[in-house]
Amino acid sequence: MEDLQNRYLSICAEVQQPPNMCVLEVLEDNISSDGSLKLTGNDHLKHGDRLTDDDMVVLSKTLVGISTIKGIDLRYNNITDQGAVYVAHLIQESESLQSLDLMCNNIEADGAEVIAKSLHKNKNLKMLRMTGNKIGNKGAMHLAAMLQINTTLEEIDISDCDLATQSVIAFAIVLKNNRRIRAINLSRPLLFSLQEETIIHMAQMLVVNKTLKELHLGKHDMTDTGVERLCEALKLNISLRYLDLRCNRITRDGAKCLSEVLKHNPSLEILDLSSNRIEDDGAVYLSEVIKLPNSKLKALSVTSNNIGKQGLMSFNEAMEVNSCLTHIYFWGNKLEEPVCVAFSRVIRSGRLLAEHTDVSPYEVDGHVFLAEASHGLRRHYYWTSRYGEDGDSSNSALALMTADSLALQV
């Protein structure tokens, strides 16, 4: 690490640029045992400014050829299209880099294009996260075209990137033939059609794709009609394990369709329906399936779904019948006292671990209430604890997927 610091300082002197104190601090003592380099711009414990394009010039030259660096986290910096050129150079020249996180920088279409081209012949990078960069439809089309050529990338996150109908459909078409992508996040595109063309293409893709394990379609303005088309395809799909449909317009009819999928498709293990409106009827449909002995659902999120006493109690009863469901999140619904008492008993008995749900029981004047707990399927998606990560249990979906992957390897 001392050699890496000296190399960084030497290149700074060569290009006549003052060293970034944040980079120096990280190079001194913050490279983790798994070879990841964390240079996030939102870490209040580090000294120095957020990385700019000029910093990327020096950083890319410093890290090229360093085989110990397996992952680079550049979230929340000020990297633009100009800096993306040096990021692309690092991708091309590095023979060890496996993950790259560029979340919430200022990269647009041109930057996405050079990064996509750098991945045409890359044989190492497995994870790319572009979340929050306004690459738009044009930039996304370059990344979709890249997936026709690249044979190594396994995870790609392009949520909150202002994708349009054309680029979402392009990803669906590419995934019909791509056999490497295991997880893709296409949440929050900018769609202006009410015909749900993107969901139709996603459904067609799921019928033929046998390798995709994780699909995020949050904020697609999806209705029950779209869910029905998706469910028709999911009945024929045997690989998808994690389906994210949060923040859509799904009601009890959509929940009924999903319950039929869970009844006949044992591969689906994690379902996120947060911020929809399935209400009591939808909750009952899902809980009836969870009660079945062949149910394989491990994690369910139904936060903010206007579910009342009947629906929540049905989930409680389902957990007593089937032990497979280990994670459930339901804050933001109607938590009447019978519901609070029932889930308080489940938590205190150890059937539902405190870190596997988003509520915490407490008692006042002989009455039981539930307080919100800071847990969720994707707690650490946009942020991380100021004092470091606090364990896989806080990111339940990731923990479940990772545990199952390790089990398969063994």
Side-chain angles (χ1 to χ4, degrees):
M1 292 310 304
E2 187 177 346
D3 291 340
L4 195 57
Q5 277 185 291
N6 292 334
R7 181 173 178 176
Y8 174 74
L9 292 170
S10 174
I11 294 173
C12 283
E14 181 183 322
V15 299
Q16 298 182 341
Q17 179 179 315
N20 186 304
M21 297 307 297
C22 177
V23 176
L24 270 179
E25 190 175 317
V26 170
L27 293 180
E28 182 178 356
D29 59 10
N30 203 33
I31 291 186
S32 63
S33 57
D34 62 357
S36 59
L37 186 66
K38 188 176 180 181
L39 291 164
T40 55
N42 63 337
D43 192 333
H44 298 283
L45 297 180
K46 292 189 176 71
H47 305 288
D49 297 326
R50 300 187 184 209
L51 301 186
T52 64
D53 296 335
D54 291 336
D55 290 314
M56 289 311 303
V57 176
V58 181
L59 198 61
S60 65
K61 291 183 178 181
T62 303
L63 299 180
V64 164
I66 306 298
S67 60
T68 54
I69 304 297
K70 307 294 183 184
I72 303 178
D73 188 345
L74 296 169
R75 286 176 290 174
Y76 297 99
N77 285 297
N78 293 323
I79 302 169
T80 70
D81 288 348
Q82 184 180 347
V85 174
Y86 301 102
V87 173
H89 174 72
L90 183 58
I91 293 172
Q92 280 183 317
E93 299 300 323
S94 175
E95 296 183 356
S96 61
L97 188 62
Q98 296 180 11
S99 68
L100 178 63
D101 193 338
L102 294 166
M103 172 188 272
C104 295
N105 279 277
N106 298 314
I107 299 171
E108 298 182 359
D110 291 343
E113 181 180 359
V114 296
I115 290 173
K117 288 181 177 178
S118 72
L119 287 166
H120 283 184
K121 296 182 179 180
N122 182 275
K123 302 295 182 184
N124 306 296
L125 198 71
K126 294 182 178 180
M127 190 280 285
L128 174 66
R129 183 189 260 183
M130 296 291 293
T131 314
N133 290 282
K134 304 309 177 184
I135 64 175
N137 197 59
K138 180 182 176 183
M141 290 298 287
H142 286 294
L143 289 171
M146 174 271 295
L147 292 182
Q148 292 181 302
I149 303 168
N150 182 281
T151 58
T152 308
L153 204 62
E154 295 180 0
E155 301 176 37
I156 184 167
D157 189 337
I158 41 176
S159 58
D160 296 292
C161 286
D162 292 355
L163 276 64
T165 301
Q166 182 186 12
S167 52
V168 175
I169 291 175
F171 278 105
I173 293 172
V174 168
L175 288 176
K176 287 182 179 180
N177 298 309
N178 186 292
R179 295 293 179 267
R180 291 294 299 179
I181 293 293
R182 301 289 185 270
I184 187 167
N185 191 338
L186 295 163
S187 296
R188 213 226 68 176
L190 301 181
L191 307 177
F192 299 99
S193 170
L194 299 177
Q195 303 302 313
E196 300 193 81
E197 299 96 330
T198 56
I199 303 303
I200 293 171
H201 282 272
M202 284 293 162
Q204 293 172 352
M205 176 273 292
L206 287 171
V207 172
V208 297
N209 187 293
K210 305 302 180 187
T211 54
L212 189 67
K213 296 184 181 299
E214 184 176 334
L215 176 62
H216 298 268
L217 297 174
K219 302 181 183 178
H220 270 246
D221 206 28
M222 193 186 309
T223 65
D224 292 333
T225 303
V227 173
E228 186 176 359
R229 293 297 298 269
L230 208 60
C231 289
E232 290 172 2
L234 286 170
K235 289 176 182 178
L236 303 172
N237 183 285
I238 58 172
S239 63
L240 195 71
R241 293 168 54 206
Y242 180 3
L243 179 61
D244 175 7
L245 300 177
R246 61 194 170 85
C247 303
N248 282 295
R249 292 194 289 151
I250 302 169
T251 69
R252 63 179 188 176
D253 294 334
K256 186 176 183 179
C257 292
L258 287 165
S259 68
E260 291 297 317
V261 172
L262 293 172
K263 190 181 298 183
H264 299 101
N265 187 342
S267 66
L268 199 60
E269 298 176 350
I270 305 172
L271 179 61
D272 192 344
L273 289 172
S274 306
S275 301
N276 283 281
R277 200 173 180 84
I278 67 170
E279 301 183 319
D280 283 339
D281 289 344
V284 171
Y285 288 136
L286 292 172
S287 60
E288 288 300 319
V289 176
I290 295 170
K291 290 179 183 178
L292 297 177
N294 63 338
S295 172
K296 301 299 181 184
L297 193 68
K298 295 180 178 178
L300 174 66
S301 180
V302 288
T303 60
S304 302
N305 265 274
N306 199 39
I307 305 173
K309 174 184 171 183
Q310 180 189 3
L312 293 174
M313 289 300 287
S314 68
F315 284 131
N316 184 271
E317 293 166 8
M319 294 195 73
E320 292 179 357
V321 174
N322 192 325
S323 61
C324 188
L325 186 69
T326 56
H327 299 63
I328 186 166
Y329 307 92
F330 56 92
W331 179 260
N333 294 294
K334 300 172 184 177
L335 304 180
E336 299 178 32
E337 188 164 5
V339 174
C340 298
V341 172
F343 275 98
S344 174
R345 288 173 182 165
V346 172
I347 293 170
R348 285 171 179 158
S349 71
R351 166 64 183 87
L352 178 62
L353 299 181
E355 62 267 25
H356 292 172
T357 186
D358 57 351
V359 296
S360 178
Y362 67 99
E363 190 172 329
V364 177
D365 296 333
H367 295 279
V368 178
F369 300 92
L370 294 175
E372 183 180 14
S374 185
H375 298 132
L377 279 178
R378 290 154 65 75
R379 177 184 175 191
H380 285 331
Y381 183 69
Y382 282 109
W383 65 281
T384 54
S385 171
R386 183 176 294 186
Y387 300 100
E389 300 283 358
D390 55 3
D392 282 342
S393 61
S394 63
N395 216 7
S396 303
L398 176 63
L400 285 168
M401 297 286 283
T402 304
D404 286 348
S405 297
L406 291 173
L408 288 173
Q409 289 174 12
V410 174

